[in-house]
Amino acid sequence: MTEATPQGLNPQQAAAVRHLDTPLLVLAGAGSGKTRVITEKIVYLIEKKGIPARSIFAVTFTNKAAKEMVARTTERLAPAQRRGLAISTFHTLGLNFIRREFAAMGLRAGFTVLDADDSLALFKSLINHSEYKDIIEPKAAQWQISQWKNDLRAPQTCIEQAIDEETRALAGLFDQYQRQLAACNALDFDDLIGRPVELLQTDATVRERWQARVRYLLVDEYQDTNTTQYELVRLLVGKIGALTAVGDDHQSIYAWRGARPENLNRLAVDFPNLARIKLEQNYRSVNSVLQAANHLIAQDTTTESKQLWSDIGPGEPHRVIICATAEDEAERIATEILHRHFRAQTEYRDFAVLYRGNHQARLIEQALRKLNIPYSLTGGQSFFERAEIKDAMSYLKLLVNPDDDAAFLRVINTPRREIGPTTIEKLGGYARERRSSLFTAARSIGIQTVLEPRAAERLSRFCDWLDGLRRAPSTDAIGVIRQVFNAIDYPSYLREQEATPKAADRRWQNVEEWLDWLAKISTDSAEGGEAMDLPALAQRMTLLGILDQQTREKDSNAVALLTLHAAKGLEFGHVFMAGMEEEILPHRDCVDDERLSEERRLCFVGITRARLSLTFTLTKRRRRYGEWKDTAPSRFLDDIPASLLQWQGEGIEQPKAVTQAQGREHLASIRAMLGK
């Protein structure tokens, strides 16, 4: 007897939900309901197949996607049914793994997770005190070593395979960096996946235990996995391969940060009995949008063919607006948004302006401000990047792990304790000689041989105070943190730092908000009904800070300005793609090599963000490095059938009927604005 199709799913979606006999790859086109498939499969596994929720794991790449899955499963399953269900990002899964297996990894309880800034500070320190000072740039080193980690390359391997002086220097720095992390009982962001993979590869007992625990694994956005993420999945599911991987090779746009789209093809090698299902029905866009996307991506021979379609409606042709300059382009975009806003009563939140590079946003911002159009710009300062929040996080980390050098250096003089840079430099040198953390070095008797008595006394006083807080018996983690801020009188420190009391009060309010949020995280994330302890809180908050570029999402009625990369996973009623020119999209650095395919996929992502209308804009000439340069339309426009495009603007003659209709529309818009 054939099982009934789950309610509301199309036949391909239903087949993906029911398939359990072999590993499954779901090639899910843009807007084809892949999150719905993952959610329904989780429900199916629990309700129809009797697999306990605690044995089901679902992983994705962003907190937003994970939250959406959690919300959907919460709607579909009773609390008892979903108890223990693990839906998270890859890095949260890795962190939870490490919290269970830290001893087997040679870590101590209370290990620290460094964010990007802390990691960069450690690189700078190591480089400044090494022979690599004139050879290596810290950010370049951080990027390269991250790539090596994501490719599962060990320091010794990199040293042996180095082909020139710079690579040998980087490999040597990699080795020193790993040793320093070990001395500080710390991990960086890449280690959250790399270290579990290393343990699963080398420890058969741990591997068997986790493979027994993970009875089914679902992975979203599989085309974005790097080598370590792929290996983590493979090691967790073992030879049985209880796995559903969902991905879209047409949306693989992150090779520059380590993603390996070929991992979709590797699945068939590692799991010869892999089944494949395509999802091609789109639930987001009108067909004119999908036809443009289909024709564009058909030119990409590196991906598998899919034909997106929808039953939403035919849609309107896409306008291609040619402007004289970038300033004119920005003004035209702002004007078009304002006209549609009043003419069709369209909310500003339904508009998005997408661009290849952040530098394109400045003129568009100015044009929107000129017309009093509200907008939100991605890439602004994250809540976690504020100085007061980083201070607070550093104190939290240091309470848990006093060997965290980055946290130690940030708070040692916050507020001022008269421990000067000379003292810190001597302490750092002493710690390097002993291969210990700064805190451990400061606590040693020998430190008095390198520091002046008064400096040693001040350092000792700080360490004694920190130790007293750490050892005080308390089950109230939030209370301990508040005690720290009371002891250092942090509000007074902020008043010293800021020009006005109002500015200081705003910063202190951010800390209060952080403390309230910490309390909520502690309770909401509690396992077994008990609030999280300090180590768990510190690790969880650090991970949230890394993953959330904007932790406080606002449903503001504003036009969205964002890059094409940042737009992935989002959708808007009306999309403007600015700068559709050669050397912008595709980017001038990518036109002559294999990266051109990724630029095409990036354009595909932009097109498929639109639900109802799509407008391309470009210029006749653009200022580059202070000089005016003539421009050419993007080659990607040539891949879209002429019947789907309506060219307007500079040098384009419009039929008289069209120009008259446009004039009537603009007049109606002006009247609507005046009336409002």
Side-chain angles (χ1 to χ4, degrees):
M1 180 176 175
T2 304
E3 290 188 58
T5 299
Q7 188 174 8
L9 299 183
N10 66 43
Q12 290 73 31
Q13 290 174 327
V17 167
R18 290 196 302 262
H19 184 93
L20 294 176
D21 296 337
T22 67
L24 173 66
L25 171 61
V26 180
L27 288 168
S32 62
K34 61 185 177 62
T35 304
R36 175 88 189 278
V37 167
I38 293 173
T39 304
E40 290 296 332
K41 189 151 194 172
I42 291 170
V43 173
Y44 180 77
L45 290 166
I46 294 171
E47 290 189 338
K48 300 295 185 184
K49 297 302 177 183
I51 298 178
R54 66 178 180 275
S55 299
I56 299 170
F57 290 72
V59 290
T60 186
F61 280 84
T62 66
N63 276 337
K64 181 180 178 183
K67 286 176 184 176
E68 184 179 350
M69 285 187 201
V70 169
R72 292 195 186 191
T73 54
T74 300
E75 290 175 0
R76 299 282 281 108
L77 295 168
Q81 288 179 300
R82 65 176 187 272
R83 185 171 295 119
L85 177 64
I87 298 176
S88 70
T89 64
F90 266 102
H91 290 90
T92 301
L93 173 62
L95 175 60
N96 292 336
F97 181 102
I98 295 169
R99 286 174 60 188
R100 288 174 175 267
E101 309 290 351
F102 67 89
M105 296 179 178
L107 294 166
R108 302 185 300 280
F111 60 87
T112 293
V113 181
L114 304 188
D115 65 15
D117 287 343
D118 293 336
S119 172
L120 184 61
L122 179 53
F123 276 115
K124 287 178 179 176
S125 175
L126 291 172
I127 291 169
N128 286 338
H129 296 90
S130 73
E131 66 272 25
Y132 313 134
K133 191 171 182 179
D134 299 324
I135 303 175
I136 300 176
E137 195 276 320
K139 280 197 172 182
Q142 185 181 37
W143 181 86
Q144 180 58 72
I145 289 170
S146 174
Q147 293 293 102
W148 281 339
K149 285 191 172 191
N150 288 330
D151 287 337
L152 288 174
R153 298 182 65 187
Q156 191 57 41
T157 304
C158 295
I159 291 171
E160 293 169 357
Q161 296 178 351
I163 58 174
D164 54 39
E165 182 185 5
E166 184 178 354
T167 310
R168 276 190 292 275
L170 280 167
L173 177 65
F174 185 11
D175 185 54
Q176 287 190 23
Y177 175 71
Q178 290 301 100
R179 291 177 186 274
Q180 192 64 35
L181 287 178
C184 296
N185 193 34
L187 304 167
D188 65 17
F189 194 54
D190 297 316
D191 289 329
L192 294 181
I193 300 173
R195 293 294 294 275
V197 167
E198 290 172 9
L199 186 63
L200 288 167
Q201 287 175 331
T202 57
D203 192 321
T205 301
V206 172
R207 183 168 63 249
E208 290 169 7
R209 182 167 66 245
W210 275 85
Q211 287 178 356
R213 187 168 178 233
V214 181
R215 288 184 57 186
Y216 207 91
L217 178 64
L218 303 101
V219 185
D220 190 17
E221 304 287 7
Y222 209 82
Q223 76 283 349
D224 293 337
T225 55
N226 59 31
T227 301
T228 52
Q229 289 157 345
Y230 181 90
E231 283 300 305
L232 181 63
V233 169
R234 190 180 65 81
L235 290 163
L236 286 175
V237 300
K239 294 181 179 178
I240 295 175
L243 168 70
T244 291
V246 182
D248 182 8
D249 47 358
H250 289 169
Q251 296 187 71
S252 178
I253 58 173
Y254 294 124
W256 53 276
R257 70 182 190 194
R260 297 285 182 265
E262 61 269 21
N263 285 347
L264 289 170
N265 296 325
R266 280 186 64 190
L267 279 171
V269 176
D270 288 323
F271 302 102
N273 57 344
L274 180 75
R276 302 162 75 93
I277 293 174
K278 290 184 183 181
L279 303 183
E280 297 174 299
Q281 182 175 357
N282 176 284
Y283 293 91
R284 174 190 300 159
S285 306
V286 293
N287 272 298
S288 60
V289 168
L290 302 179
Q291 289 167 15
N294 286 337
H295 280 92
L296 172 77
I297 206 66
Q299 306 302 315
D300 181 9
T301 58
T302 67
T303 56
E304 188 165 334
S305 173
K306 288 188 292 294
Q307 286 295 311
L308 297 176
W309 63 276
S310 82
D311 55 13
I312 296 173
E316 60 189 53
H318 315 306
R319 290 183 301 161
V320 185
I321 302 176
I322 304 175
C323 305
T325 65
E327 288 80 5
D328 294 333
E329 178 186 41
E331 290 179 7
R332 181 65 183 268
I333 289 172
T335 303
E336 292 289 337
I337 290 172
L338 192 65
H339 285 166
R340 190 181 282 265
H341 167 68
F342 284 110
R343 184 177 73 245
Q345 297 297 301
T346 306
E347 297 278 3
Y348 283 125
R349 66 170 60 90
D350 288 335
F351 295 96
V353 184
L354 311 183
Y355 36 79
R356 179 63 176 82
N358 278 311
H359 66 278
Q360 295 171 254
R362 182 177 59 83
L363 292 174
I364 299 169
E365 282 190 81
Q366 291 174 356
L368 293 172
R369 279 202 299 264
K370 190 175 178 181
L371 295 179
N372 294 318
I373 298 173
Y375 66 90
S376 63
L377 178 70
T378 61
Q381 187 184 40
S382 164
F383 183 65
F384 283 93
E385 293 171 349
R386 299 177 188 273
E388 59 271 21
I389 302 305
K390 291 188 77 67
D391 289 346
M393 281 295 302
S394 293
Y395 271 111
L396 172 57
K397 291 177 181 179
L398 213 55
L399 284 172
V400 172
N401 177 18
D403 292 325
D404 185 334
D405 281 357
F408 185 94
L409 288 170
R410 184 171 187 94
V411 306
I412 189 65
N413 265 320
T414 306
R416 287 191 61 195
R417 296 183 175 89
E418 297 184 334
I419 300 172
T422 302
T423 300
I424 297 298
E425 186 174 350
K426 289 180 178 178
L427 173 63
Y430 184 70
R432 279 190 298 276
E433 289 174 7
R434 293 168 58 88
R435 292 198 171 183
S436 72
S437 70
L438 295 172
F439 181 86
T440 300
R443 287 313 247 160
S444 68
I445 297 175
I447 192 63
Q448 298 182 24
T449 64
V450 297
L451 293 182
E452 296 292 332
R454 288 184 64 187
E457 192 273 331
R458 290 176 186 135
L459 200 57
S460 177
R461 194 187 313 150
F462 171 74
C463 293
D464 287 343
W465 171 72
L466 186 65
D467 264 342
L469 285 169
R470 295 182 63 245
R471 291 172 181 166
S474 175
T475 56
D476 180 9
I478 309 302
V480 173
I481 301 166
R482 286 192 177 276
Q483 187 180 342
V484 170
F485 284 108
N486 290 334
I488 64 176
D489 194 8
Y490 194 71
S492 295
Y493 166 74
L494 292 176
R495 283 192 289 274
E496 293 172 5
Q497 297 294 306
E498 291 297 333
T500 65
K502 191 173 181 180
D505 290 344
R506 276 199 303 268
R507 292 182 63 188
W508 175 244
Q509 187 58 44
N510 287 335
V511 176
E512 288 281 10
E513 184 178 333
W514 179 80
L515 287 166
D516 291 342
W517 193 41
L518 201 66
K520 187 175 186 301
I521 292 288
S522 171
T523 304
D524 291 351
S525 301
E527 295 181 9
E530 296 181 2
M532 298 173 78
D533 59 13
L534 274 172
L537 265 179
Q539 293 153 9
R540 177 68 174 151
M541 290 299 291
T542 300
L543 186 56
L544 284 174
I546 295 170
L547 292 174
D548 283 354
Q549 292 300 310
Q550 294 176 331
T551 61
R552 297 169 296 176
E553 295 178 4
K554 297 179 181 177
D555 185 24
S556 58
N557 187 21
V559 176
L561 306 186
L562 63 169
T563 65
L564 289 161
H565 283 99
K568 186 171 176 292
L570 304 178
E571 59 182 74
F572 305 92
H574 309 281
V575 168
F576 290 79
M577 290 179 61
M580 281 296 292
E581 302 158 23
E582 288 291 297
E583 299 193 359
I584 293 182
L585 186 66
H587 192 276
R588 60 181 172 274
D589 292 340
C590 304
V591 295
D592 294 323
D593 58 29
E594 68 279 359
R595 288 177 294 175
L596 180 61
S597 293
E598 184 160 318
E599 291 291 295
R600 184 183 302 279
R601 295 194 292 270
L602 192 58
C603 186
F604 173 87
V605 166
I607 290 172
T608 53
R609 298 313 93 196
R611 294 197 308 268
L612 301 172
S613 80
L614 179 64
T615 302
F616 302 103
T617 65
L618 59 146
T619 67
K620 298 275 284 185
R621 59 181 189 148
R622 194 176 290 268
R623 191 187 296 273
R624 291 201 183 113
Y625 308 112
E627 295 184 7
W628 286 101
K629 303 281 187 181
D630 290 338
T631 64
S634 169
R635 68 188 70 189
F636 297 146
L637 291 171
D638 294 336
D639 297 328
I640 300 173
S643 60
L644 292 175
L645 300 179
Q646 186 182 88
W647 292 74
Q648 301 176 6
E650 290 282 317
I652 303 296
E653 291 290 334
Q654 293 284 359
K656 187 175 181 180
V658 172
T659 56
Q660 288 176 340
Q662 289 174 347
R664 287 193 296 271
E665 283 187 3
H666 287 185
L667 185 59
S669 298
I670 293 170
R671 286 172 176 161
M673 283 186 278
L674 291 173
K676 191 162 183 175

